[in-house]
Amino acid sequence: QVQVVESGGGLVQAGGSLRLACTVSGLTFDDYRMAWFRQAPGKEREGVSCISRSGGIAYAADFVKGRFTISRDNAKNTLYLQMNSLKPDDTAMYYCAATESNEFFLLRRTDFPYWGQGTQVTVSS
């Protein structure tokens, strides 16, 4: 049984930082491309960033480029998202997702079969 568990969310002031983590079990972690998505109240879930199996290739949405960094530790079956210079618009539930698809860089929700329950990030102004 595949389990995807996010952690690290919380309340932070604008300009602050948070580091999210996502631990995966029940699959061979380094066989999977990984991604972070987010969903704000009343909005569609959107792709934030994704990373290749080895961690050597990463993509980020324009709205987080230069602020958020995705990484992974295959020895620990863990995905990370370092979030700096946070803005109130970054307030959302953040989800970790896994896929074997080699089109992972398109960040299409339908390409990702495995999802966590999410961790809430709230940025106050």
Side-chain angles (χ1 to χ4, degrees):
Q1 182 180 357
V2 177
Q3 288 191 316
V4 180
V5 181
E6 302 95 336
S7 61
L11 174 63
V12 63
Q13 288 189 329
S17 298
L18 282 175
R19 189 191 194 203
L20 305 184
C22 168
T23 302
V24 182
S25 60
L27 52 76
T28 304
F29 186 67
D30 55 7
D31 282 348
Y32 285 76
R33 290 86 173 185
M34 300 296 298
W36 290 98
F37 289 77
R38 70 184 187 184
Q39 187 168 17
K43 294 189 176 181
E44 294 283 317
R45 191 171 297 188
E46 60 184 356
V48 174
S49 188
C50 56
I51 192 166
S52 64
R53 291 172 296 181
S54 68
I57 299 173
Y59 301 92
D62 286 344
F63 54 80
V64 301
K65 279 182 180 176
R67 300 189 299 124
F68 292 8
T69 302
I70 192 171
S71 62
R72 65 190 294 165
D73 185 340
N74 286 347
K76 296 182 178 180
N77 286 10
T78 301
L79 176 74
Y80 301 100
L81 185 67
Q82 178 66 44
M83 305 188 295
N84 299 329
S85 302
L86 282 161
K87 306 174 182 179
D89 284 351
D90 295 319
T91 295
M93 186 73 79
Y94 283 73
Y95 297 91
C96 172
T99 184
E100 293 179 287
S101 171
N102 58 13
E103 294 185 338
F104 69 102
F105 57 92
L106 296 176
L107 284 171
R108 293 182 298 219
R109 290 173 294 166
T110 52
D111 285 341
F112 289 80
Y114 301 111
W115 292 83
Q117 294 299 307
T119 186
Q120 178 67 39
V121 172
T122 303
V123 184
S124 63
S125 57

